mmCIF file of all heavy atoms in Angstrom:
data_model
loop_
_atom_site.group_PDB
_atom_site.id
_atom_site.type_symbol
_atom_site.label_atom_id
_atom_site.label_comp_id
_atom_site.label_asym_id
_atom_site.label_seq_id
_atom_site.Cartn_x
_atom_site.Cartn_y
_atom_site.Cartn_z
ATOM 1 N N VAL L 37 23.038 -87.824 -72.221
ATOM 2 C CA VAL L 37 22.657 -87.863 -70.821
ATOM 3 C C VAL L 37 22.014 -86.520 -70.501
ATOM 4 O O VAL L 37 22.623 -85.480 -70.719
ATOM 5 C CB VAL L 37 23.880 -88.086 -69.910
ATOM 6 C CG1 VAL L 37 23.446 -88.088 -68.460
ATOM 7 C CG2 VAL L 37 24.557 -89.393 -70.258
ATOM 8 N N VAL L 38 20.775 -86.542 -70.007
ATOM 9 C CA VAL L 38 20.089 -85.297 -69.686
ATOM 10 C C VAL L 38 19.957 -85.190 -68.182
ATOM 11 O O VAL L 38 19.457 -86.100 -67.526
ATOM 12 C CB VAL L 38 18.691 -85.268 -70.332
ATOM 13 C CG1 VAL L 38 18.003 -83.961 -70.010
ATOM 14 C CG2 VAL L 38 18.806 -85.444 -71.834
ATOM 15 N N ILE L 39 20.437 -84.089 -67.639
ATOM 16 C CA ILE L 39 20.330 -83.861 -66.194
ATOM 17 C C ILE L 39 19.459 -82.643 -65.956
ATOM 18 O O ILE L 39 19.689 -81.586 -66.542
ATOM 19 C CB ILE L 39 21.724 -83.621 -65.595
ATOM 20 C CG1 ILE L 39 22.598 -84.843 -65.844
ATOM 21 C CG2 ILE L 39 21.634 -83.365 -64.108
ATOM 22 C CD1 ILE L 39 24.028 -84.618 -65.498
ATOM 23 N N THR L 40 18.452 -82.808 -65.106
ATOM 24 C CA THR L 40 17.547 -81.701 -64.813
ATOM 25 C C THR L 40 17.650 -81.331 -63.354
ATOM 26 O O THR L 40 17.748 -82.194 -62.474
ATOM 27 C CB THR L 40 16.102 -82.116 -65.133
ATOM 28 O OG1 THR L 40 16.068 -82.671 -66.423
ATOM 29 C CG2 THR L 40 15.184 -80.913 -65.087
ATOM 30 N N LEU L 41 17.593 -80.037 -63.081
ATOM 31 C CA LEU L 41 17.738 -79.532 -61.730
ATOM 32 C C LEU L 41 16.608 -78.562 -61.449
ATOM 33 O O LEU L 41 16.331 -77.675 -62.244
ATOM 34 C CB LEU L 41 19.079 -78.805 -61.643
ATOM 35 C CG LEU L 41 19.315 -77.910 -60.448
ATOM 36 C CD1 LEU L 41 19.536 -78.738 -59.218
ATOM 37 C CD2 LEU L 41 20.505 -77.021 -60.695
ATOM 38 N N LYS L 42 15.947 -78.729 -60.293
ATOM 39 C CA LYS L 42 14.828 -77.839 -59.981
ATOM 40 C C LYS L 42 14.705 -77.664 -58.471
ATOM 41 O O LYS L 42 14.905 -78.615 -57.708
ATOM 42 C CB LYS L 42 13.548 -78.454 -60.535
ATOM 43 C CG LYS L 42 12.424 -77.495 -60.510
ATOM 44 C CD LYS L 42 11.198 -78.040 -61.175
ATOM 45 C CE LYS L 42 10.180 -76.906 -61.064
ATOM 46 N NZ LYS L 42 8.941 -77.147 -61.558
ATOM 47 N N LYS L 43 14.307 -76.476 -58.069
ATOM 48 C CA LYS L 43 14.124 -76.210 -56.647
ATOM 49 C C LYS L 43 12.926 -77.014 -56.144
ATOM 50 O O LYS L 43 11.906 -77.125 -56.800
ATOM 51 C CB LYS L 43 13.875 -74.718 -56.439
ATOM 52 C CG LYS L 43 13.877 -74.292 -54.985
ATOM 53 C CD LYS L 43 13.843 -72.787 -54.895
ATOM 54 C CE LYS L 43 13.496 -72.295 -53.523
ATOM 55 N NZ LYS L 43 14.580 -72.494 -52.557
ATOM 56 N N TYR L 44 13.033 -77.556 -54.946
ATOM 57 C CA TYR L 44 12.000 -78.440 -54.422
ATOM 58 C C TYR L 44 11.574 -77.964 -53.051
ATOM 59 O O TYR L 44 12.403 -77.679 -52.197
ATOM 60 C CB TYR L 44 12.570 -79.854 -54.336
ATOM 61 C CG TYR L 44 11.634 -80.880 -53.751
ATOM 62 C CD1 TYR L 44 10.342 -81.039 -54.234
ATOM 63 C CD2 TYR L 44 12.051 -81.703 -52.726
ATOM 64 C CE1 TYR L 44 9.497 -81.993 -53.701
ATOM 65 C CE2 TYR L 44 11.213 -82.669 -52.194
ATOM 66 C CZ TYR L 44 9.934 -82.816 -52.683
ATOM 67 O OH TYR L 44 9.118 -83.760 -52.164
ATOM 68 N N ASP L 45 10.251 -77.865 -52.852
ATOM 69 C CA ASP L 45 9.808 -77.350 -51.561
ATOM 70 C C ASP L 45 9.186 -78.414 -50.672
ATOM 71 O O ASP L 45 8.496 -78.104 -49.718
ATOM 72 C CB ASP L 45 8.830 -76.188 -51.772
ATOM 73 C CG ASP L 45 7.554 -76.639 -52.459
ATOM 74 O OD1 ASP L 45 7.463 -77.833 -52.805
ATOM 75 O OD2 ASP L 45 6.664 -75.796 -52.661
ATOM 76 N N GLY L 46 9.382 -79.665 -50.989
ATOM 77 C CA GLY L 46 8.941 -80.722 -50.084
ATOM 78 C C GLY L 46 7.526 -81.194 -50.295
ATOM 79 O O GLY L 46 6.993 -81.971 -49.514
ATOM 80 N N ARG L 47 6.907 -80.786 -51.378
ATOM 81 C CA ARG L 47 5.524 -81.202 -51.664
ATOM 82 C C ARG L 47 5.458 -82.675 -52.018
ATOM 83 O O ARG L 47 6.211 -83.144 -52.847
ATOM 84 C CB ARG L 47 5.034 -80.427 -52.880
ATOM 85 C CG ARG L 47 3.806 -79.637 -52.668
ATOM 86 C CD ARG L 47 3.436 -79.009 -53.991
ATOM 87 N NE ARG L 47 3.992 -77.694 -54.061
ATOM 88 C CZ ARG L 47 3.251 -76.609 -53.878
ATOM 89 N NH1 ARG L 47 1.980 -76.708 -53.628
ATOM 90 N NH2 ARG L 47 3.807 -75.422 -53.960
ATOM 91 N N THR L 48 4.534 -83.405 -51.419
ATOM 92 C CA THR L 48 4.364 -84.792 -51.852
ATOM 93 C C THR L 48 3.023 -85.033 -52.502
ATOM 94 O O THR L 48 2.756 -86.092 -53.038
ATOM 95 C CB THR L 48 4.498 -85.762 -50.657
ATOM 96 O OG1 THR L 48 3.658 -85.293 -49.618
ATOM 97 C CG2 THR L 48 5.925 -85.844 -50.187
ATOM 98 N N LYS L 49 2.124 -84.060 -52.436
ATOM 99 C CA LYS L 49 0.810 -84.225 -53.055
ATOM 100 C C LYS L 49 0.600 -83.127 -54.092
ATOM 101 O O LYS L 49 1.134 -82.045 -53.961
ATOM 102 C CB LYS L 49 -0.284 -84.098 -51.990
ATOM 103 C CG LYS L 49 -0.289 -85.192 -50.987
ATOM 104 C CD LYS L 49 -1.620 -85.274 -50.278
ATOM 105 C CE LYS L 49 -1.588 -86.360 -49.232
ATOM 106 N NZ LYS L 49 -2.302 -85.939 -48.048
ATOM 107 N N PRO L 50 -0.208 -83.417 -55.106
ATOM 108 C CA PRO L 50 -0.470 -82.375 -56.104
ATOM 109 C C PRO L 50 -1.227 -81.206 -55.496
ATOM 110 O O PRO L 50 -1.938 -81.361 -54.508
ATOM 111 C CB PRO L 50 -1.311 -83.081 -57.164
ATOM 112 C CG PRO L 50 -1.715 -84.373 -56.579
ATOM 113 C CD PRO L 50 -0.808 -84.698 -55.474
ATOM 114 N N VAL L 51 -1.054 -80.027 -56.120
ATOM 115 C CA VAL L 51 -1.703 -78.823 -55.593
ATOM 116 C C VAL L 51 -3.213 -78.974 -55.701
ATOM 117 O O VAL L 51 -3.746 -79.255 -56.764
ATOM 118 C CB VAL L 51 -1.244 -77.586 -56.387
ATOM 119 C CG1 VAL L 51 -1.915 -76.348 -55.853
ATOM 120 C CG2 VAL L 51 0.267 -77.445 -56.312
ATOM 121 N N PRO L 52 -3.975 -78.802 -54.614
ATOM 122 C CA PRO L 52 -5.424 -79.012 -54.660
ATOM 123 C C PRO L 52 -6.115 -77.906 -55.442
ATOM 124 O O PRO L 52 -5.726 -76.746 -55.387
ATOM 125 C CB PRO L 52 -5.837 -78.976 -53.181
ATOM 126 C CG PRO L 52 -4.774 -78.182 -52.523
ATOM 127 C CD PRO L 52 -3.516 -78.404 -53.274
ATOM 128 N N LYS L 53 -7.133 -78.286 -56.240
ATOM 129 C CA LYS L 53 -7.839 -77.291 -57.046
ATOM 130 C C LYS L 53 -8.793 -76.496 -56.185
ATOM 131 O O LYS L 53 -8.910 -75.299 -56.294
ATOM 132 C CB LYS L 53 -8.590 -78.005 -58.173
ATOM 133 C CG LYS L 53 -7.686 -78.235 -59.377
ATOM 134 C CD LYS L 53 -8.474 -78.678 -60.575
ATOM 135 C CE LYS L 53 -8.103 -80.118 -60.854
ATOM 136 N NZ LYS L 53 -8.777 -80.642 -62.045
ATOM 137 N N LYS L 54 -9.527 -77.202 -55.338
ATOM 138 C CA LYS L 54 -10.458 -76.493 -54.456
ATOM 139 C C LYS L 54 -10.080 -76.755 -53.006
ATOM 140 O O LYS L 54 -9.578 -77.801 -52.666
ATOM 141 C CB LYS L 54 -11.879 -77.027 -54.659
ATOM 142 C CG LYS L 54 -12.461 -76.687 -55.999
ATOM 143 C CD LYS L 54 -13.898 -77.149 -56.076
ATOM 144 C CE LYS L 54 -14.286 -77.322 -57.534
ATOM 145 N NZ LYS L 54 -15.566 -77.990 -57.658
ATOM 146 N N GLY L 55 -10.409 -75.851 -52.180
ATOM 147 C CA GLY L 55 -10.140 -76.039 -50.759
ATOM 148 C C GLY L 55 -8.670 -75.852 -50.426
ATOM 149 O O GLY L 55 -7.807 -75.997 -51.282
ATOM 150 N N GLN L 56 -8.386 -75.523 -49.192
ATOM 151 C CA GLN L 56 -7.009 -75.250 -48.807
ATOM 152 C C GLN L 56 -6.488 -76.358 -47.917
ATOM 153 O O GLN L 56 -6.558 -76.275 -46.706
ATOM 154 C CB GLN L 56 -6.933 -73.900 -48.039
ATOM 155 C CG GLN L 56 -7.182 -72.704 -48.906
ATOM 156 C CD GLN L 56 -6.046 -72.497 -49.896
ATOM 157 O OE1 GLN L 56 -4.894 -72.725 -49.587
ATOM 158 N NE2 GLN L 56 -6.400 -72.113 -51.104
ATOM 159 N N SER L 57 -5.981 -77.424 -48.500
ATOM 160 C CA SER L 57 -5.420 -78.474 -47.661
ATOM 161 C C SER L 57 -3.909 -78.323 -47.644
ATOM 162 O O SER L 57 -3.187 -79.007 -48.342
ATOM 163 C CB SER L 57 -5.807 -79.858 -48.180
ATOM 164 O OG SER L 57 -5.509 -79.964 -49.553
ATOM 165 N N GLU L 58 -3.432 -77.407 -46.854
ATOM 166 C CA GLU L 58 -1.995 -77.146 -46.787
ATOM 167 C C GLU L 58 -1.365 -78.105 -45.794
ATOM 168 O O GLU L 58 -0.978 -77.738 -44.703
ATOM 169 C CB GLU L 58 -1.750 -75.696 -46.321
ATOM 170 C CG GLU L 58 -2.231 -74.663 -47.284
ATOM 171 C CD GLU L 58 -1.140 -74.331 -48.301
ATOM 172 O OE1 GLU L 58 0.042 -74.433 -47.956
ATOM 173 O OE2 GLU L 58 -1.503 -73.996 -49.430
ATOM 174 N N SER L 59 -1.310 -79.379 -46.170
ATOM 175 C CA SER L 59 -0.849 -80.375 -45.211
ATOM 176 C C SER L 59 0.658 -80.554 -45.244
ATOM 177 O O SER L 59 1.196 -81.392 -44.557
ATOM 178 C CB SER L 59 -1.517 -81.711 -45.517
ATOM 179 O OG SER L 59 -1.331 -82.016 -46.874
ATOM 180 N N PHE L 60 1.371 -79.789 -46.048
ATOM 181 C CA PHE L 60 2.826 -79.935 -46.091
ATOM 182 C C PHE L 60 3.473 -78.653 -45.586
ATOM 183 O O PHE L 60 2.928 -77.573 -45.729
ATOM 184 C CB PHE L 60 3.292 -80.225 -47.516
ATOM 185 C CG PHE L 60 3.288 -79.003 -48.391
ATOM 186 C CD1 PHE L 60 4.460 -78.324 -48.665
ATOM 187 C CD2 PHE L 60 2.115 -78.525 -48.925
ATOM 188 C CE1 PHE L 60 4.456 -77.196 -49.466
ATOM 189 C CE2 PHE L 60 2.101 -77.406 -49.725
ATOM 190 C CZ PHE L 60 3.281 -76.738 -50.002
ATOM 191 N N GLU L 61 4.637 -78.806 -44.971
ATOM 192 C CA GLU L 61 5.314 -77.598 -44.542
ATOM 193 C C GLU L 61 6.390 -77.283 -45.575
ATOM 194 O O GLU L 61 7.232 -78.117 -45.891
ATOM 195 C CB GLU L 61 5.906 -77.769 -43.130
ATOM 196 C CG GLU L 61 7.099 -78.664 -42.981
ATOM 197 C CD GLU L 61 6.750 -80.124 -42.972
ATOM 198 O OE1 GLU L 61 5.553 -80.467 -43.009
ATOM 199 O OE2 GLU L 61 7.655 -80.938 -42.926
ATOM 200 N N PRO L 62 6.362 -76.114 -46.163
ATOM 201 C CA PRO L 62 7.296 -75.801 -47.238
ATOM 202 C C PRO L 62 8.745 -75.764 -46.733
ATOM 203 O O PRO L 62 9.051 -75.075 -45.788
ATOM 204 C CB PRO L 62 6.842 -74.413 -47.719
ATOM 205 C CG PRO L 62 6.024 -73.864 -46.629
ATOM 206 C CD PRO L 62 5.458 -74.999 -45.856
ATOM 207 N N ALA L 63 9.584 -76.542 -47.383
ATOM 208 C CA ALA L 63 11.004 -76.555 -47.039
ATOM 209 C C ALA L 63 11.772 -75.795 -48.098
ATOM 210 O O ALA L 63 11.449 -75.869 -49.269
ATOM 211 C CB ALA L 63 11.508 -77.986 -46.953
ATOM 212 N N ASP L 64 12.789 -75.093 -47.680
ATOM 213 C CA ASP L 64 13.429 -74.201 -48.628
ATOM 214 C C ASP L 64 14.832 -74.633 -49.019
ATOM 215 O O ASP L 64 15.504 -73.964 -49.767
ATOM 216 C CB ASP L 64 13.469 -72.792 -48.021
ATOM 217 C CG ASP L 64 13.758 -71.767 -49.085
ATOM 218 O OD1 ASP L 64 13.358 -72.004 -50.240
ATOM 219 O OD2 ASP L 64 14.410 -70.770 -48.771
ATOM 220 N N ASN L 65 15.311 -75.749 -48.516
ATOM 221 C CA ASN L 65 16.726 -76.035 -48.741
ATOM 222 C C ASN L 65 16.955 -77.301 -49.548
ATOM 223 O O ASN L 65 17.950 -77.977 -49.391
ATOM 224 C CB ASN L 65 17.431 -76.167 -47.392
ATOM 225 C CG ASN L 65 16.879 -77.337 -46.600
ATOM 226 O OD1 ASN L 65 15.732 -77.719 -46.769
ATOM 227 N ND2 ASN L 65 17.707 -77.911 -45.747
ATOM 228 N N LYS L 66 16.014 -77.655 -50.418
ATOM 229 C CA LYS L 66 16.188 -78.880 -51.180
ATOM 230 C C LYS L 66 16.045 -78.600 -52.665
ATOM 231 O O LYS L 66 15.400 -77.636 -53.078
ATOM 232 C CB LYS L 66 15.134 -79.914 -50.786
ATOM 233 C CG LYS L 66 15.210 -80.333 -49.340
ATOM 234 C CD LYS L 66 14.254 -81.474 -49.067
ATOM 235 C CE LYS L 66 13.003 -80.952 -48.419
ATOM 236 N NZ LYS L 66 12.241 -82.006 -47.758
ATOM 237 N N CYS L 67 16.625 -79.512 -53.453
ATOM 238 C CA CYS L 67 16.342 -79.440 -54.869
ATOM 239 C C CYS L 67 16.292 -80.851 -55.448
ATOM 240 O O CYS L 67 16.861 -81.792 -54.896
ATOM 241 C CB CYS L 67 17.359 -78.572 -55.589
ATOM 242 S SG CYS L 67 18.988 -79.252 -55.666
ATOM 243 N N LEU L 68 15.571 -80.951 -56.531
ATOM 244 C CA LEU L 68 15.386 -82.230 -57.210
ATOM 245 C C LEU L 68 16.398 -82.352 -58.330
ATOM 246 O O LEU L 68 16.546 -81.435 -59.134
ATOM 247 C CB LEU L 68 13.987 -82.277 -57.839
ATOM 248 C CG LEU L 68 12.891 -82.939 -57.054
ATOM 249 C CD1 LEU L 68 11.565 -82.630 -57.678
ATOM 250 C CD2 LEU L 68 13.088 -84.433 -57.025
#
Side-chain angles (χ1 to χ4, degrees):
Chain L
V37 179
V38 181
I39 300 171
T40 310
L41 166 73
K42 192 174 181 182
K43 189 171 165 72
Y44 177 52
D45 64 357
R47 237 183 266 257
T48 50
K49 293 199 182 141
V51 180
K53 275 191 248 182
K54 292 185 203 170
Q56 290 291 324
S57 51
E58 295 272 330
S59 52
F60 76 101
E61 72 281 356
D64 196 31
N65 63 333
K66 298 187 260 198
C67 69
L68 264 168

